[in-house]
Amino acid sequence: MNKAVRVDVMEGARIAFFSLGANRMRTVLTTVGIGIGVATLLAIIGIIQGLNASFDKQLASLGSNTLQVSKFPWVMKGDWWMYRNRKNFTLPQVEQIRAQAPFLSALSPIVGRNGDVGFNGQQLSTVDVFGVTQEYFAIGSWQVVSGRPLTDADDAVSRPVAVLGATVAEGLFPGLNPLGRSIRIDGRPFQVVGTLARKGKLLERDQDLTVMVPFKTFYSTFGKGRPFSIAMAVEQGQDIRNAEEQLVGIVRRVRSTPPGVPDDFSINRPEQLAQTYEQLTGALYGVALGVGFITMLVGGIGIMNIMLVSVRERTREIGIRRALGARKRTIVMQFLMEASAVSAVGGLLGTVVGLGTAKVVSLITPLAADVQLTTILGGVGFAALVGLLFGIWPAARAANLDPVEALRYE
């Protein structure tokens, strides 16, 4: 930037800020329009980003190196009956998959149902009751905080023992040690041998409202007609996509699926849930941006209108300045800076209001809120850009006024 341009910028900025200070009410009203747009945009985006961060944290509880093979996909598309008619997995198939997949560090069949769990008059409903083996605790990153996990010995003899999730332990045994006590799952007695660390929610489902019993105990107690899935953990250092591709061939071979016939099973991984979630939040982002852009457009039109009024009111002043030798670019710079400054201040105030609104929402509702620094800077910068764009016409109109006609203006 050469010296002349730098002088024009400094002079334009000085006059612009003097004008803003001299017309406080007009400045405030113009600022409010932009501020509302930025506040709306940041409040919505803040809530969405908070939900994204919360979902990522929840998804991490499933483990980044886990897979689950089952009849049904986690994200179901197409005909439900097609999935329903697939063959169930069998325990011999589980052992064949284990023998043919050395890249797996752990493998466990898993079957589940909802049930009522009670102790001494206390009862919890719709508890997730899972039948699993010892290896499932490592696959799902479940940490036992008291007692012990289920063992292969428990499974071998169908022992009626259970490990409780944190919500179940706290709900049935407030202030008591649950170890060694007998609970009832749908009326059947089970002895508590361990409790689990809290994991939190996943897609609004409380993962801690859970009871785990030995896999074979589950079938001997609740019936063998329910299909099960196979949970797996891939060895550390193995590529999860490559492991999945190998697993497809192994499972097809184990289930005797003929060549050319579609897979009669689904391989699920946490990433699929993330992709579905991103599709949902992508639509919300679109709505948020649409609302924000419309509000900013209205604010920008307000800025342009106010600036045109300002040009008309200061026509004589502009004529005097032009007569005294002011360049057109100095006049343009002054009005552009005035429009940008008003818009940037509105953006800054809108940012404060938007962040505050998002924070209040996160405090009084289950919705999380988390706005990134780049979003804040982008909001203020975009507001200033709106002011700059909508200030171009008034600035050009002011700079192109005929000095003689401007001096005659009353």
Side-chain angles (χ1 to χ4, degrees):
M1 183 183 296
N2 59 44
K3 184 177 180 181
V5 174
R6 186 165 58 251
V7 170
D8 285 343
V9 171
M10 295 176 63
E11 182 66 12
R14 186 185 65 80
I15 297 174
F17 282 103
F18 176 80
S19 175
L20 292 177
N23 298 277
R24 293 184 181 87
M25 182 57 67
R26 178 188 301 167
T27 300
V28 170
L29 293 177
T30 309
T31 298
V32 167
I34 291 293
I36 291 174
V38 174
T40 303
L41 191 61
L42 284 185
I44 298 175
I45 290 180
I47 292 173
I48 294 175
Q49 289 181 344
L51 289 174
N52 288 344
S54 175
F55 180 76
D56 290 341
K57 183 178 179 181
Q58 294 173 24
L59 204 60
S61 67
L62 295 178
S64 60
N65 66 327
T66 60
L67 298 169
Q68 190 174 112
V69 181
S70 64
K71 287 176 56 173
F72 297 97
W74 285 349
V75 181
M76 195 172 298
K77 299 178 182 179
D79 185 5
W80 181 84
W81 284 103
M82 177 185 71
Y83 302 116
R84 173 67 178 79
N85 292 331
R86 288 173 170 178
K87 296 180 297 182
N88 291 339
F89 282 91
T90 65
L91 289 179
Q93 289 176 346
V94 173
E95 295 308 315
Q96 291 177 54
I97 293 172
R98 185 195 303 274
Q100 297 181 40
F103 51 84
L104 297 178
S105 61
L107 182 149
S108 171
I110 174 173
V111 61
R113 59 170 288 171
N114 285 335
D116 297 330
V117 182
F119 170 76
N120 197 24
Q122 298 281 347
Q123 182 162 303
L124 298 176
S125 300
T126 62
V127 176
D128 290 325
V129 181
F130 292 116
V132 299
T133 64
Q134 180 177 340
E135 293 180 72
Y136 182 72
F137 291 87
I139 296 170
S141 301
W142 294 95
Q143 297 181 0
V144 177
V145 293
S146 66
R148 63 173 179 83
L150 303 175
T151 65
D152 291 337
D154 294 330
D155 192 56
V157 297
S158 300
R159 190 171 291 146
V161 293
V163 175
L164 309 183
T167 300
V168 176
E170 293 170 4
L172 295 181
F173 302 96
L176 298 176
N177 182 1
L179 297 181
R181 300 180 188 270
S182 179
I183 63 172
R184 287 190 170 270
I185 303 176
D186 287 342
R188 280 89 164 184
F190 284 80
Q191 183 183 29
V192 179
V193 295
T195 61
L196 299 168
R198 184 171 294 280
K199 291 191 74 172
K201 291 186 176 182
L202 177 63
L203 297 177
E204 297 308 311
R205 182 180 71 85
D206 187 357
Q207 296 184 88
D208 302 304
L209 190 62
T210 297
V211 173
M212 296 184 187
V213 303
F215 181 81
K216 292 180 180 178
T217 304
F218 183 99
Y219 270 135
S220 63
T221 305
F222 303 112
K224 298 182 178 181
R226 191 178 299 270
F228 65 84
S229 303
I230 308 172
M232 310 170 182
V234 177
E235 287 278 6
Q236 291 294 335
Q238 293 280 348
D239 180 72
I240 189 75
R241 293 297 184 90
N242 184 48
E244 182 180 354
E245 292 176 2
Q246 295 182 62
L247 195 59
V248 169
I250 293 171
V251 178
R252 285 181 65 91
R253 185 163 57 250
V254 166
R255 287 169 68 83
S256 301
T257 305
V261 175
D263 296 339
D264 59 345
F265 57 90
S266 296
I267 297 182
N268 303 297
R269 62 181 186 276
E271 182 183 338
Q272 294 168 338
L273 296 178
Q275 291 172 349
T276 302
Y277 183 80
E278 287 171 1
Q279 291 174 357
L280 295 175
T281 54
L284 293 177
Y285 263 120
V287 172
L289 292 175
V291 171
F293 283 142
I294 291 172
T295 312
M296 295 290 274
L297 178 63
V298 172
I301 293 173
I303 286 179
M304 183 169 63
N305 184 50
I306 292 295
M307 295 304 297
L308 288 172
V309 172
S310 179
V311 170
R312 187 171 65 250
E313 290 179 348
R314 293 153 63 186
T315 299
R316 186 174 178 82
E317 171 197 328
I318 294 169
I320 293 173
R321 292 183 61 201
R322 289 296 309 281
L324 292 176
R327 300 180 181 89
K328 283 187 176 183
R329 71 183 182 194
T330 305
I331 304 297
V332 169
M333 196 72 67
Q334 171 196 335
F335 280 90
L336 287 181
M337 285 190 170
E338 190 172 323
S340 295
V342 169
S343 194
V345 170
L348 186 60
L349 294 177
T351 298
V352 174
V353 174
L355 294 180
T357 302
K359 189 65 177 178
V360 169
V361 169
S362 69
L363 292 175
I364 64 177
T365 72
L367 298 175
D370 178 31
V371 181
Q372 300 172 1
L373 179 60
T374 53
T375 304
I376 297 174
L377 297 178
V380 177
F382 182 69
L385 180 61
V386 168
L388 184 65
L389 293 176
F390 282 88
I392 290 176
W393 183 24
R397 186 169 180 178
N400 289 318
L401 287 175
D402 183 272
V404 176
E405 294 296 327
L407 286 170
R408 292 176 180 175
Y409 185 84
E410 294 293 339

